[in-house]
Amino acid sequence: MKVTKIASALAALTLSAAASAQADDSRFVIQVDNNNKGVIKALAVQSGAEIKVDGEGFFAANFPGMDLSQVKGVLKNPHVKLIEKDQIRKPLAVYNDDAGNPMTGQLTPYAVYQSQANQVPFIAGAGMKVCVIDSGLDKSNPDFNWAGITGDYDPGTGDWNVNGGPHGTHVAGTIGASDNDVGVVGMAPGVEMHIIKVFTEFGWAYSSDLAHATNLCSQAGANIINMSLGGGGSNSIESNAFAEFSNNGGLIVAAAGNDGNSAASYPAAYPAVMMVGANDAENNIAEFSQFPSCTTGRGKRANFDENVCVEATAGGVQTLSTYPAGMADIAALNADGAFYSTVGMENSGDVTAAVYFMGTAESIDTEAQGKVCVIDRGNVSFHDKVANCEASGGVGAVIVNNEDGVLYGTLGDTNRTSIPAVGADLADRDALINAASINVSVGASDYGYMSGTSMASPAVAGIAALVWSNHTECSGEQIRDALKMTAEDQGAAGHDVYFGYGIVKAKAAHDYLTQNGCGDTPTPGELSLSATHAFAKGKNQVELVALGASSGNADIYRDGAKIATLANGTQYSDTFSRKVSGTFTYKACDQNTTDCTAEQVISF
């Protein structure tokens, strides 16, 4: 069966995706002398236009139903210097999933690229084991190192390897889906896991269940626990179990919550647990990600505690991962052998046929007989476009967006069509129209999308396992600190309640621990400077990395003179010729302040 959401009774923190809005395609910019702008604006309004921007030497307006030539006609006036289309500008995704069909080839989710997990090797056999406390990991999905996965039977929830809904399988895939030739790849590919099934699709768990599960994780030899779940209120038994696991060297990661407010969700809000928020592929905070205060106590007893609020974030919007076999729907679009980004709209099916460009598909066109219709967005509904393609004999439909990005849409509640239909990106329009043949596939899949801090939490748990596998001498708390210290600052400069210290970066954390070890890892938020000498390519170099600047940037000084300004975690090489020798002092200061580290002396 197809599963679209987890039952609301669950504490599992997952959301469905939202459809995108349609941009205005009849907006134009008119360049005109300021002295005569009022006259031209009046002409525009008289023609039915709505003024959108009144700028210096220009204005922009929406002219419903008019194209450029018609606007030029109604504003034909010697005072008008230029009329042109008001081009759409929007944030572009910084990171993207690989395009393709995970049922036939391996795809890398965008969060892997965003977190730099693809730049750090996972060391199998290093002793990493992640305990996943969730709804089970279904044995039907082959994309796991099953020889390295164990679990506990529970008389209430049943076998750990039979799903209690797809949530736990999706979470586990983000952590450790295998690096093979199919499906997706996890943050720590093939990492050993232990599965504790604490709820089913139509049930819930209690704080005592989580305390008991934590003890089972310890007995199984896990050093990392992920909990993509939460609820209100604290509980001492639960809190004590987490504290003991952490004190014994482990790391616990949990989801911040999906209500988009400042409420604290437990277990994430316990100090022993690393709270993780969600960001999207554009490095923006997810609108649903909760942001509890970092302040404990009131008045004179108020204290800042970064361990009771969001500490860092990872990708958690439209996250592609594993599902129990056949429980997800997914679409694939292939033109002349190349995959393109797509989203399914409606109707299962798998067709390959010649291409017919049908314009905006506002009427029946018998030339589409036996072909895949490529259709421009606009003028009529998505349903009517697909219906006209099908009535023309078309076997599949691809609707191309009229703005940057893949088209998300449906065919409505009264869908009467049957051919597979997908949305496509405006950037791929020419390639699709000019292709000889197109394959459109929409159907049941072992892989699909979920959104929520539930997806961000296992990303961080997997990244922790990845980094820790290269630095087994570290404790869980030291890995936690390293991930925060080297996170990429986003949102307000420095630490904030939405991103914490920023988006987790595996390579930055790995590089920091490689250079500095884990014994001297300073507390996040404490300004520090790493300065080391190296001789490379015939030159002396002092490698400098500042961390913990509250502004997000640090000024670097050599012998009292500023030589650079760096973002937290960014490496700077102070380079000298091989003939230079001497003693140099370095320090870092929070940008434009006198809040500085102690001086470090480097001699060569």
Side-chain angles (χ1 to χ4, degrees):
M1 78 179 167
K2 175 186 174 184
V3 173
T4 58
K5 64 180 182 179
I6 300 296
S8 60
L10 290 183
L13 305 176
T14 309
L15 296 175
S16 60
S20 57
Q22 183 170 359
D24 196 339
D25 199 35
S26 56
R27 181 163 156 164
F28 300 89
V29 181
I30 296 87
Q31 185 178 349
V32 61
D33 288 330
N34 278 334
N35 292 337
N36 299 292
K37 189 165 57 172
V39 174
I40 307 304
K41 285 170 59 181
L43 284 174
V45 172
Q46 186 178 1
S47 71
E50 180 183 358
I51 306 299
K52 297 292 186 179
V53 177
D54 192 349
E56 183 68 24
F58 74 91
F59 68 92
N62 179 31
F63 293 78
M66 293 189 189
D67 59 22
L68 180 59
S69 62
Q70 291 171 315
V71 174
K72 286 182 177 180
V74 298
L75 296 185
K76 190 173 182 179
N77 188 289
H79 298 305
V80 174
K81 296 181 178 180
L82 178 67
I83 302 176
E84 56 186 343
K85 182 175 174 58
D86 200 358
Q87 300 290 349
I88 296 167
R89 298 291 182 259
K90 60 181 287 187
L92 302 179
V94 181
Y95 303 95
N96 295 285
D97 296 334
D98 291 344
N101 186 344
M103 295 293 286
T104 59
Q106 181 171 276
L107 308 184
T108 300
Y110 78 85
V112 172
Y113 296 121
Q114 186 178 52
S115 67
Q116 304 174 335
N118 60 313
Q119 300 178 41
V120 179
F122 175 67
I123 309 302
M128 295 297 105
K129 181 179 284 189
V130 182
C131 193
V132 183
I133 302 176
D134 212 288
S135 66
L137 170 55
D138 200 273
K139 60 187 176 184
S140 64
N141 192 299
D143 204 6
F144 290 95
N145 171 26
W146 282 104
I149 300 176
T150 56
D152 284 295
Y153 172 81
D154 184 274
T157 59
D159 292 326
W160 61 269
N161 57 1
V162 176
N163 79 83
H167 190 268
T169 302
H170 195 278
V171 164
T174 295
I175 293 169
S178 296
D179 186 3
N180 46 30
D181 57 358
V182 70
V184 296
V185 60
M187 295 294 182
V191 67
E192 292 185 10
M193 288 187 276
H194 189 75
I195 309 301
I196 309 291
K197 185 178 175 182
V198 296
F199 50 70
T200 63
E201 186 175 3
F202 303 106
W204 54 86
Y206 291 95
S207 53
S208 57
D209 295 323
L210 301 190
H212 178 58
T214 300
N215 294 332
L216 293 176
C217 292
S218 296
Q219 294 170 21
N223 36 30
I224 299 172
I225 294 175
N226 181 80
M227 292 181 289
S228 293
L229 44 82
S234 62
N235 175 279
S236 61
I237 297 297
E238 182 183 50
S239 177
N240 291 339
F242 300 145
E244 181 178 359
F245 186 88
S246 178
N247 291 337
N248 288 333
L251 173 63
I252 306 175
V253 184
N258 289 339
D259 288 339
N261 58 29
S262 60
S265 176
Y266 294 87
Y270 292 122
V273 179
M274 183 176 183
M275 184 188 295
V276 175
N279 58 258
D280 65 16
E282 299 171 357
N283 293 340
N284 297 317
I285 198 68
E287 63 179 10
F288 52 77
S289 191
Q290 282 174 229
F291 48 94
S293 172
C294 302
T295 301
T296 61
R298 295 181 180 180
K300 294 181 179 180
R301 295 185 178 181
N303 292 299
F304 175 83
D305 186 352
E306 66 181 38
N307 292 333
V308 299
C309 52
V310 172
E311 298 180 40
T313 68
V317 179
Q318 280 290 93
T319 298
L320 177 64
S321 188
T322 48
Y323 266 69
M327 284 187 74
D329 277 352
I330 202 164
L333 175 62
N334 186 303
D336 290 344
F339 280 102
Y340 293 89
S341 297
T342 191
V343 173
M345 300 181 78
E346 299 281 350
N347 306 332
S348 296
D350 189 337
V351 298
T352 301
V355 176
Y356 180 69
F357 176 55
M358 202 172 172
T360 52
E362 297 174 47
S363 60
I364 293 174
D365 184 344
T366 56
E367 292 295 319
Q369 177 70 39
K371 299 176 182 177
V372 171
C373 306
V374 176
I375 302 169
D376 280 334
R377 179 180 185 176
N379 298 345
V380 298
S381 70
F382 300 147
H383 176 273
D384 289 350
K385 292 175 184 292
V386 176
N388 286 333
C389 171
E390 185 170 357
S392 302
V395 295
V398 180
I399 302 180
V400 181
N401 209 350
N402 58 3
E403 59 180 312
D404 290 333
V406 176
L407 174 63
Y408 289 80
T410 70
L411 302 185
D413 294 334
T414 57
N415 175 30
R416 296 185 299 276
T417 67
S418 62
I419 60 174
V422 299
D425 193 331
L426 176 61
D428 300 327
R429 180 178 184 272
D430 289 346
L432 296 172
I433 289 174
N434 294 315
S437 69
I438 283 180
N439 170 258
V440 176
S441 174
V442 180
S445 176
D446 304 349
Y447 305 89
Y449 296 90
M450 289 188 188
S451 291
T453 54
S454 271
M455 286 60 255
S457 178
V460 172
I463 293 165
L466 174 69
V467 173
W468 206 350
S469 75
N470 289 269
H471 304 278
T472 54
E473 70 280 10
C474 296
S475 68
E477 192 67 21
Q478 289 166 332
I479 294 296
R480 179 180 181 178
D481 284 347
L483 294 178
K484 292 190 288 185
M485 291 181 59
T486 57
E488 180 181 271
D489 189 33
Q490 294 290 339
H495 183 280
D496 66 74
V497 294
Y498 299 98
F499 284 97
Y501 284 98
I503 300 174
V504 169
K505 298 288 180 178
K507 180 68 161 53
H510 170 57
D511 288 349
Y512 176 81
L513 292 171
T514 299
Q515 184 172 2
N516 299 282
C518 31
D520 297 325
T521 304
T523 301
E526 176 185 332
L527 182 62
S528 65
L529 176 67
S530 168
T532 57
H533 170 256
F535 186 81
K537 297 182 179 180
K539 295 181 180 180
N540 288 295
Q541 296 179 344
V542 179
E543 307 295 345
L544 302 157
V545 179
L547 293 166
S550 61
S551 66
N553 296 297
D555 295 326
I556 307 298
Y557 291 84
R558 185 215 311 137
D559 295 336
K562 186 168 72 173
I563 59 173
T565 299
L566 309 176
N568 281 335
T570 303
Q571 180 172 292
Y572 176 81
S573 296
D574 193 18
T575 303
F576 305 82
S577 74
R578 64 188 306 161
K579 297 180 180 180
V580 173
S581 62
T583 298
F584 305 90
T585 60
Y586 292 89
K587 68 178 181 180
C589 301
D590 215 319
Q591 188 176 20
N592 298 326
T593 74
T594 56
D595 179 15
C596 304
T597 64
E599 290 186 338
Q600 296 192 42
V601 178
I602 300 291
S603 299
F604 53 85

